[in-house]
Amino acid sequence: MNAAERVRSSRPEAKPGTPRKRILTGIRPTGPLHLGHYAGALENWLELQHEYDCYFLIADYQVSDHANDLARVRNAVWEVTLDWLAIGLDPEKASFVIESGVPEHAELTTWLAWFLPVGMLERNPTLKAEMEAIQAPDDAATKGRSVPVAFYIYPVMQVANILLPRAHLVPVGVDQLPHVELARETARRFNREFKPIFPEPEALVGRVPRLVGTDGEAKMSKSRGNTIDLKDSAATVAKKVRAMYAGPPRGAKEPGLVEANPVFGYLDAFDNDDAEVSDLKERYEHHGVSNVELKDRLTRVLNELLEPMRQRRAQYEGNMARVSEALEQGTGRARAIARETMEMVRDALDLDYLRKYR
Ligand code: ATP
Ligand code: MG
C-alpha cells in the first residue's frame, strides 16, 4: 500500500453535513523544510487537507534551544510557511497557525502540567536524546549549553497543541510518537477525572518514518545541517547528493550491501520506478554499480520532485502579503476553537470563581 492508499484507508466515511474530524500537527520554525519532513510528514498532510479540518502549527513556543538566535527563528516562520505553500498545502482548506498567536496554548499547557508526572518526561526517549544533544560539549550548534526549562516541557506544550483543537488525528514522524502517547494518556485522564472533553488522538506515521541525513546519521534534521531542503536549487541538490555518504569505501565495480548505502534509502523513498530500483539493487549486490551512477539517478529524481515546488515558492515569494494573510486567517480560525475549548476546560476545572457570590 502506498502513502496515499494508506491515508485513504484510514479516512473516515465522508458523511455530507457532518463536521469533519480534526487534525493537528506542527513544525518548529528552526529553518527551511527538508526531504525528511516531506517524506515523513508533509506528503501525508497534502492528502489529508482534503478530508479533515487541518490545523498546521508553526510551533514558535517550542524553540527555546534556539533562544540565542531569535533572528533565525523569526525568519524560519516565513521559510516554513513558504515551504508549505510550495508543496501545495492550501490555506483556504487548511489552517496555518502561529502557536504564540493562540495564547490559549500557553494557558492549557499550564493546566495540563498539573496532570503530567515528571517521570513521564524523564522517560520520554525523544526528549532524553534531544536534551543530551543540547548538552553535548562537542555539539558545534549548541556548544554544551544548559537545557532551558521551556525545552524540558515542550512535550507538555505538544499535548496542549493537540488537545486545544480537540484533534482526532496527529500525522507525525516516528520521533514524535512518545509525545502523541502522552497526549492520549492526558486526554484519558482529564476525561475520566473532570469532564469528557477531548477525543483520544491517534498518531499517523508517514511513508518514511525517519529519513537518514546526507551524512548517514540516523535522522535528517534541520539542527544537524545534514539536509536537502525543499527550496534548494537544482545545482545545490546535485552538489549535496555528490557529497552524500554512500556507505563504506568501495571500488566502482565492487559489489556492495544495499542496506549499507543510504543512497538506496533515498531512492526507495523518492524514486517511483520500483522495477528499475530493484534492478539497480540486484546489480549493486552482484556486480557492483558506481556511486556516481546511483547519485546521478538520485539527483534527477529529486530535482523532478522539487522543481514544481520551486516554481510555486517563487510565485508566493513575489506576494508575501498573501503569505502573511494565510497565517493570519489560519491563526484566527484556530483561536476561535481554542476559546471554545478553554470555556469547556474552565467549566471542567471549576475555574469560574467569581460566579459563586454573584
Ligand atoms: P529540529 O532538528 O529543529 O527539531 P526537525 O528537522 O526535527 O527540526 P521538526 O520541526 O522537529 O523538524 O519536525 C517536524 C515534523 O517532521 C515531525 O513530525 C517530525 O517527526 C518530522 N520529521 C523531521 N525530520 C524527519 C526525518 N528525517 N524523517 C521523517 N520525519 C521527519
Ligand atoms: Mg525535531
Side-chain angles (χ1 to χ4, degrees):
M1 208 168 13
N2 67 28
E5 285 163 351
R6 201 165 45 245
V7 167
R8 243 170 255 130
S9 74
S10 71
R11 279 174 180 176
E13 284 294 307
K15 292 193 196 92
T18 52
R20 286 181 302 166
K21 288 198 167 188
R22 288 197 194 125
I23 279 187
L24 180 287
T25 187
I27 283 193
R28 307 192 324 141
T30 52
L33 302 184
H34 53 66
L35 290 173
H37 293 117
Y38 186 75
L42 299 172
E43 195 187 48
N44 261 351
W45 303 11
L46 276 174
E47 283 281 324
L48 294 162
Q49 67 175 342
H50 301 294
E51 294 293 320
Y52 288 81
D53 184 15
C54 290
Y55 295 85
F56 299 138
L57 193 75
I58 300 186
D60 67 335
Y61 280 154
Q62 296 170 44
V63 283
S64 54
D65 52 330
H66 291 266
N68 60 340
D69 196 358
L70 281 186
R72 174 184 168 136
V73 170
R74 303 302 177 239
N75 183 50
V77 168
W78 300 106
E79 292 282 7
V80 168
T81 312
L82 280 167
D83 283 331
W84 285 356
L85 293 164
I87 66 163
L89 292 178
D90 179 354
E92 300 296 325
K93 287 211 168 86
S95 299
F96 296 4
V97 185
I98 299 180
E99 185 181 32
S100 66
V102 185
E104 286 79 2
H105 283 125
E107 193 182 358
L108 186 58
T109 298
T110 304
W111 292 123
L112 296 181
W114 281 41
F115 310 110
L116 284 165
V118 168
M120 264 166 121
L121 295 181
E122 281 168 348
R123 285 191 300 273
N124 183 310
T126 301
L127 180 63
K128 228 169 160 172
E130 287 169 340
M131 291 211 308
E132 277 162 18
I134 290 177
Q135 289 167 306
D138 59 345
D139 188 317
T142 56
K143 299 192 186 67
R145 287 183 295 120
S146 57
V147 176
V149 172
F151 192 86
Y152 187 66
I153 65 161
Y154 95 79
V156 188
M157 296 183 195
Q158 278 203 12
V159 173
N161 297 154
I162 295 167
L163 298 190
L164 194 59
R166 309 193 300 282
H168 303 90
L169 194 67
V170 189
V172 283
V174 81
D175 60 317
Q176 303 298 305
L177 288 180
H179 308 332
V180 181
E181 192 47 45
L182 213 56
R184 291 169 63 82
E185 288 185 36
T186 311
R188 278 198 294 269
R189 178 154 175 207
F190 192 100
N191 291 346
R192 195 175 57 233
E193 292 184 18
F194 303 101
K195 285 193 175 168
I197 295 178
F198 301 114
E200 215 176 291
E202 304 266 354
L204 178 72
V205 173
R207 186 168 56 88
V208 179
R210 189 187 279 118
L211 188 73
V212 300
T214 49
D215 54 359
E217 279 290 326
K219 181 173 170 253
M220 180 177 281
S221 160
K222 292 183 229 121
S223 310
R224 292 201 64 95
N226 60 3
T227 65
I228 294 176
D229 298 337
L230 303 182
K231 68 167 194 174
D232 280 343
S233 68
T236 303
V237 170
K239 194 168 134 213
K240 286 184 177 177
V241 171
R242 227 178 292 125
M244 207 178 135
Y245 175 75
R250 184 182 58 87
K253 292 277 164 232
E254 210 179 305
L257 269 181
V258 164
E259 306 82 71
N261 187 343
V263 178
F264 279 108
Y266 282 53
L267 288 173
D268 283 337
F270 300 106
D271 193 329
N272 292 326
D273 197 331
D274 294 348
E276 279 192 30
V277 172
S278 49
D279 180 57
L280 206 57
K281 286 179 180 171
E282 174 83 16
R283 277 205 288 131
Y284 187 81
E285 296 223 306
H286 294 104
H287 312 285
V289 177
S290 74
N291 285 334
V292 174
E293 182 182 337
L294 292 178
K295 289 179 169 184
D296 282 351
R297 182 180 179 98
L298 180 61
T299 300
R300 179 177 55 74
V301 163
L302 292 181
N303 278 329
E304 274 169 22
L305 172 74
L306 298 178
E307 187 47 36
M309 299 181 196
R310 291 182 195 120
Q311 286 176 13
R312 227 175 287 130
R313 195 179 212 276
Q315 278 169 11
Y316 280 106
E317 273 169 340
N319 188 2
M320 288 306 288
R322 175 70 195 105
V323 179
S324 178
E325 191 185 48
L327 287 174
E328 198 176 330
Q329 283 171 347
T331 305
R333 287 197 286 262
R335 186 130 204 230
I337 293 169
R339 289 199 170 122
E340 202 179 274
T341 304
M342 286 314 297
E343 283 287 307
M344 296 158 94
V345 169
R346 269 185 217 107
D347 172 56
L349 295 179
D350 202 11
L351 285 168
D352 198 356
Y353 303 112
L354 301 184
R355 198 169 48 190
K356 191 165 174 184
Y357 296 111
R358 219 187 276 142

